[in-house]
Amino acid sequence: GAVVSQHPSRVICKSGTSVKIECRSLDFQATTMFWYRQFPKQSLMLMATSNEGSKATYEQGVEKDKFLINHASLTLSTLTVTSAHPEDSSFYICSASIPGTSNEQYFGPGTRLTVT
Amino acid sequence: KQEVTQIPAALSVPEGENLVLNCSFTDSAIYNLQWFRQDPGKGLTSLLLIQSSQREQTSGRLNASLDKSSGRSTLYIAASQPGDSATYLCAVRGGGKSTFGDGTTLTVKP
């Protein structure tokens, strides 16, 4: 099956700093990728849809200036958490679908962000 | 707005038992439904994908059904094993995005 990777798998940062998380489709090209956030013992909440070559589409309540998304190529989308706060600590997961197929979603392994 | 509910929230069974996990959704205009497994602290592993035109999919000991008109899906696990212990999530795809349920946490006791 298709493989999606994320880097880093874990990151600890101080309040006020910015953190970049990468999502890569390793064996296919993804025109669209999705970013989710998962708080402990809760389900995945869609944050934004990342579109290659255009601006991301953010879900209601997600601050686009705080969560910067860049989809500069067909295999890479990045999520930058700017001016991080402890409440941004969460598990961030990306997914992608292979264009023109059944739209089955393939998920990355996730990134655990801890803001101290 | 699509809402997805999974029942029960947690389930504990002895090894070898057959079990059913339930997923319901409010908007039947879906593209597909996907069942995932998530181990603690890990990402998601896709188990089964059912297109809106299909009624069920099978993979090994897993069988997923879909009744789009009533907004329901079930995941049947046969002959459960301790290695099946995980959280099972269903996700409904429609309108270009997926909505997840809160999951069912399954514990299979040896």
Side-chain angles (χ1 to χ4, degrees):
Chain A
V3 178
V4 176
S5 71
Q6 281 184 242
H7 178 79
S9 59
R10 291 178 178 272
V11 59
I12 301 173
C13 71
K14 294 184 178 181
S15 290
T17 61
S18 296
V19 175
K20 180 185 286 187
I21 302 170
E22 294 184 347
C23 176
R24 293 181 184 273
S25 56
L26 297 186
D27 50 3
F28 66 98
Q29 295 182 331
T31 53
T32 302
M33 292 182 174
F34 301 89
W35 286 96
Y36 296 84
R37 180 168 52 186
Q38 185 180 34
F39 291 108
K41 299 189 183 300
Q42 295 187 25
S43 190
L44 279 73
M45 298 297 296
L46 180 65
M47 298 176 65
T49 302
S50 172
N51 303 297
E52 188 269 336
S54 64
K55 292 183 179 180
T57 304
Y58 290 82
E59 294 300 299
Q60 190 173 7
V62 178
E63 300 176 58
K64 63 179 181 180
D65 294 330
K66 179 172 183 60
F67 299 99
L68 302 179
I69 292 174
N70 185 291
H71 196 150
S73 77
L74 288 171
T75 59
L76 173 64
S77 175
T78 60
L79 169 68
T80 301
V81 182
T82 63
S83 187
H85 292 143
E87 55 264 33
D88 297 326
S89 298
S90 186
F91 194 52
Y92 292 87
I93 309 178
C94 69
S95 75
S97 299
I98 300 176
T101 65
S102 62
N103 275 312
E104 180 171 1
Q105 286 203 72
Y106 299 94
F107 281 79
T111 297
R112 173 75 59 192
L113 170 63
T114 303
V115 184
T116 60
Chain B
K1 178 185 174 183
Q2 179 74 270
E3 293 182 3
V4 180
T5 304
Q6 290 188 244
I7 295 174
L11 181 64
S12 180
V13 300
E15 181 177 5
E17 228 176 69
N18 303 325
L19 57 102
V20 175
L21 307 181
N22 298 289
C23 173
S24 61
F25 47 95
T26 56
D27 186 350
S28 62
I30 67 170
Y31 188 75
N32 62 40
L33 184 146
Q34 202 165 349
W35 282 93
F36 296 90
R37 168 189 173 134
Q38 185 176 32
D39 293 290
K42 304 292 185 182
L44 276 66
T45 301
S46 178
L47 298 174
L48 289 165
L49 170 71
I50 309 178
Q51 300 294 345
S52 62
S53 59
Q54 298 174 326
R55 293 194 64 86
E56 68 176 335
Q57 284 289 329
T58 298
S59 176
R61 294 183 293 108
L62 305 179
N63 176 278
S65 69
L66 173 64
D67 184 341
K68 197 173 70 165
S69 61
S70 67
R72 295 185 179 185
S73 175
T74 61
L75 178 65
Y76 174 82
I77 302 177
S80 59
Q81 303 171 358
D84 295 331
S85 299
T87 296
Y88 291 81
L89 297 162
C90 72
V92 173
R93 184 97 181 243
K97 61 182 70 172
S98 291
T99 304
F100 281 79
D102 288 340
T104 293
T105 299
L106 172 66
T107 302
V108 181
K109 299 179 180 178

